[in-house]
Amino acid sequence: MISVTIIGSGNVGFHLTRSFLNTKGVKLEQLFSRNKKDLEFWDNQVLTTHLYEELQPTDITIIAVSDDSIAEVSKHIKNDFVVHTSGGKSMNELQNLGRKGVFYPLQSFSRQKKVDFSTVPFCLEAEKSADLEILKKLSKAIGSESYQINSDQRKYLHVAAVFVNNFSNHMFSNAKEICDKNNIPFEVLLPLIKETAMKIEQMNPSEAQTGPAIRRDENTLKKHLNLLSGRQKELYKLITSSIQDNG
Amino acid sequence: MISVTIIGSGNVGFHLTRSFLNTKGVKLEQLFSRNKKDLEFWDNQVLTTHLYEELQPTDITIIAVSDDSIAEVSKHIKNDFVVHTSGGKSMNELQNLGRKGVFYPLQSFSRQKKVDFSTVPFCLEAEKSADLEILKKLSKAIGSESYQINSDQRKYLHVAAVFVNNFSNHMFSNAKEICDKNNIPFEVLLPLIKETAMKIEQMNPSEAQTGPAIRRDENTLKKHLNLLSGRQKELYKLITSSIQDNG
């Protein structure tokens, strides 16, 4: 049995709480939040507190707060083994005196949508190999794959995640703007978006690259640029030349 | 019963042939290709030819050839109602003397992967409303949704498709490069990619936008730019400022 404390009631803390409460082999001892309203939601399901002094010792204390609060919050934790859940901060951001680690779920969470942790990979790091094993066990308990990723790799992984998530989503936004302007229902594009994402489960993205840029189809490229203006034209130009650089 | 002729044995022609051969209410009369080897594959399943003179009259003749060949190929077709399958060309690219239309499947096809047409929307256009009805019937027969999209709209839709497919895929490529350089298994990112695509089935991409750019998290943005160079740094800068413009 792994005993766990969660610090923070944001999206990650919320979904981890729900998951741990339903996981055999994991005992969620306490949930800490400075936001008392968030804690009320969990009354009767788990011991909650908003006072650091009330924290009980557990095997793992998971700090799931905003990046900029990790250092400050971790100073108050007396427990032995403390991890944060951030992709953007190194392990040494933690200021607790005991052992340190990282338990970073690489997924985009929203409060409303139930998380299936079997589809969420965890990036793990710990100072001691025994601690790494505990984190592996914890991710396995909730059905997640885990990967050992050190702080330096995680910095780059975070940038890569920005490309696949934030930047792709911005491509979808631009497409929706273009559709809206021309009275085209955006839903026409949803199957293509899905297929684009699914395709790279079977081949490398560089092999999956199609379209006028990689074909160097100058006619189509010119026609497209003529249809665009401002910001979208700049994006089209730069991404096209980047695709061609790559090829 | 709708009788159909397919001109062209590329990806679109191939998958339409397979689908029509298995569809009730559709009779695939003939498959035309200049490539005799491609035709051999279909021997005994459908009447094939590489000679325009041998084409039989059918309700719909579908030209599924490369954009630049549509005009030339269509000149040779004597049949009444001729459509092309291109997102990039207007209906008037067709040079046949009879009625014209467009039957554009908005999806990315590869030869190896079997196509489930129930997930492929068709963009339809025709000079006559009766012809539009035939095309609707045909897409319905193979289980596809259809949308009426005129040539002017289709030009823009094609650009939008470049954004969601080619450009998103290029974001995935960049992420893979970053992962490879840092010995991070790219597969860690696959669940996030899938979630990014699925999320916009439930909300607008502008609502789904997260990350350091839209949060104007200058610390993270600076850190990320320091990790990147060359082409990737330029992409990161421009897409970030484009996201912030949008917000």
Side-chain angles (χ1 to χ4, degrees):
Chain A
M1 181 67 73
I2 307 173
S3 64
V4 179
T5 302
I6 292 177
I7 312 286
S9 55
N11 283 339
V12 174
F14 177 86
H15 290 294
L16 284 178
T17 299
R18 175 140 73 184
S19 172
F20 289 153
L21 286 174
N22 293 299
T23 303
K24 275 187 193 171
V26 176
K27 175 146 183 26
L28 181 59
E29 293 280 0
Q30 254 180 319
L31 172 62
F32 171 100
S33 174
R34 284 171 292 190
N35 182 333
K36 288 191 206 173
K37 257 218 164 132
D38 279 358
L39 293 180
E40 278 169 24
F41 182 90
W42 298 104
D43 274 353
N44 306 321
Q45 296 187 71
V46 58
L47 197 62
T48 63
T49 180
H50 66 285
L51 297 168
Y52 289 114
E53 309 85 77
E54 290 186 0
L55 287 176
Q56 305 296 313
T58 46
D59 296 331
I60 310 177
T61 302
I62 299 175
I63 298 185
V65 300
S66 68
D67 281 12
D68 292 339
S69 310
I70 293 173
E72 175 57 27
V73 167
S74 63
K75 279 184 198 163
H76 298 280
I77 313 292
K78 304 280 177 292
N79 286 357
D80 265 352
F81 180 39
V82 177
V83 300
H84 72 62
T85 58
S86 165
K89 291 288 179 180
S90 88
M91 184 164 65
N92 290 322
E93 184 77 8
L94 292 166
Q95 303 295 314
N96 61 305
L97 297 173
R99 289 132 51 214
K100 297 171 188 177
V102 177
F103 187 67
Y104 165 45
L106 185 51
Q107 189 50 281
S108 137
F109 297 109
S110 29
R111 178 71 66 123
Q112 310 80 13
K113 210 181 153 196
K114 207 176 168 186
V115 174
D116 171 7
F117 275 99
S118 73
T119 67
V120 178
F122 274 83
C123 302
L124 308 182
E125 185 177 9
E127 292 171 312
K128 317 247 176 216
S129 64
D131 288 338
L132 196 68
E133 291 309 312
I134 303 180
L135 294 178
K136 273 188 201 168
K137 237 174 144 176
L138 184 63
S139 41
K140 202 174 173 187
I142 56 174
S144 297
E145 292 286 328
S146 63
Y147 297 84
Q148 190 179 348
I149 303 282
N150 65 35
S151 286
D152 196 50
Q153 289 173 312
R154 205 173 50 256
K155 279 194 296 192
Y156 285 96
L157 183 54
H158 196 238
V159 180
V162 166
F163 272 89
V164 302
N165 178 333
N166 309 153
F167 289 179
S168 291
N169 187 72
H170 187 55
M171 300 302 123
F172 306 157
S173 276
N174 278 286
K176 180 155 195 307
E177 271 179 44
I178 294 169
C179 286
D180 288 352
K181 244 193 219 164
N182 294 281
N183 294 314
I184 303 162
F186 179 61
E187 65 183 69
V188 188
L189 288 166
L190 291 178
L192 180 61
I193 289 172
K194 204 169 172 181
E195 175 69 16
T196 306
M198 303 300 262
K199 209 170 176 182
I200 56 163
E201 297 188 351
Q202 284 161 36
M203 60 178 99
N204 278 338
S206 59
E207 292 160 15
Q209 191 68 53
T210 57
I214 194 81
R215 279 201 316 271
R216 293 178 187 270
D217 173 350
E218 298 298 336
N219 271 336
T220 302
L221 293 172
K222 245 183 243 163
K223 266 204 285 183
H224 284 182
L225 283 173
N226 281 334
L227 297 174
L228 297 170
S229 61
R231 183 171 51 73
Q232 286 180 337
K233 193 171 197 153
E234 292 312 307
L235 285 173
Y236 194 100
K237 269 190 211 165
L238 185 68
I239 299 174
T240 291
S241 89
S242 175
I243 291 172
Q244 296 181 338
D245 260 17
N246 236 10
Chain B
M1 181 67 73
I2 307 174
S3 65
V4 178
T5 302
I6 293 177
I7 312 286
S9 56
N11 283 339
V12 174
F14 178 86
H15 291 294
L16 283 178
T17 299
R18 176 141 72 186
S19 172
F20 289 152
L21 285 174
N22 293 299
T23 302
K24 273 188 196 171
V26 176
K27 175 147 183 27
L28 181 59
E29 293 280 359
Q30 254 180 320
L31 172 61
F32 171 101
S33 173
R34 282 170 294 192
N35 183 332
K36 288 190 206 174
K37 256 218 164 128
D38 279 358
L39 292 180
E40 279 169 22
F41 182 90
W42 299 105
D43 273 353
N44 306 321
Q45 295 186 70
V46 58
L47 196 63
T48 62
T49 181
H50 66 285
L51 298 169
Y52 290 114
E53 309 85 76
E54 289 185 1
L55 287 177
Q56 305 296 314
T58 47
D59 295 332
I60 311 177
T61 302
I62 299 176
I63 298 184
V65 300
S66 67
D67 280 12
D68 292 339
S69 310
I70 294 173
E72 176 58 25
V73 167
S74 62
K75 279 184 199 162
H76 297 281
I77 313 292
K78 304 278 177 294
N79 285 357
D80 265 352
F81 180 39
V82 176
V83 301
H84 72 62
T85 58
S86 164
K89 291 287 179 181
S90 87
M91 182 165 67
N92 289 322
E93 185 76 8
L94 292 166
Q95 303 295 314
N96 62 303
L97 297 174
R99 289 129 52 212
K100 298 172 187 176
V102 177
F103 188 67
Y104 165 46
L106 185 52
Q107 188 51 283
S108 135
F109 297 108
S110 29
R111 179 72 66 125
Q112 310 82 13
K113 210 180 152 196
K114 209 177 165 185
V115 174
D116 172 6
F117 276 99
S118 73
T119 68
V120 178
F122 275 81
C123 302
L124 310 182
E125 185 177 10
E127 294 172 310
K128 317 245 175 215
S129 65
D131 288 337
L132 195 69
E133 291 308 313
I134 302 181
L135 293 177
K136 274 188 199 167
K137 236 172 145 178
L138 184 63
S139 41
K140 201 173 174 188
I142 57 175
S144 298
E145 292 284 328
S146 64
Y147 297 84
Q148 188 178 351
I149 303 282
N150 66 35
S151 285
D152 196 50
Q153 289 174 313
R154 205 172 52 257
K155 280 193 298 191
Y156 285 96
L157 183 55
H158 195 239
V159 180
V162 165
F163 272 88
V164 303
N165 178 333
N166 309 153
F167 289 179
S168 291
N169 187 72
H170 187 56
M171 300 302 123
F172 306 157
S173 275
N174 278 286
K176 182 156 194 306
E177 272 180 41
I178 295 169
C179 285
D180 288 352
K181 245 194 216 164
N182 295 282
N183 295 314
I184 303 161
F186 178 62
E187 65 184 67
V188 188
L189 287 167
L190 291 179
L192 180 61
I193 289 172
K194 206 169 168 178
E195 176 68 17
T196 306
M198 305 299 263
K199 211 169 176 181
I200 56 162
E201 296 188 353
Q202 281 160 38
M203 59 178 101
N204 277 339
S206 59
E207 292 160 15
Q209 191 67 53
T210 58
I214 194 81
R215 278 201 316 271
R216 294 178 185 269
D217 172 351
E218 297 299 335
N219 271 336
T220 302
L221 293 172
K222 248 184 237 160
K223 267 204 286 183
H224 284 182
L225 283 172
N226 281 334
L227 298 174
L228 297 170
S229 61
R231 183 171 50 73
Q232 286 180 337
K233 194 172 197 150
E234 292 312 306
L235 285 175
Y236 194 101
K237 268 190 212 164
L238 185 68
I239 300 174
T240 292
S241 88
S242 176
I243 290 173
Q244 295 181 339
D245 261 17
N246 236 9

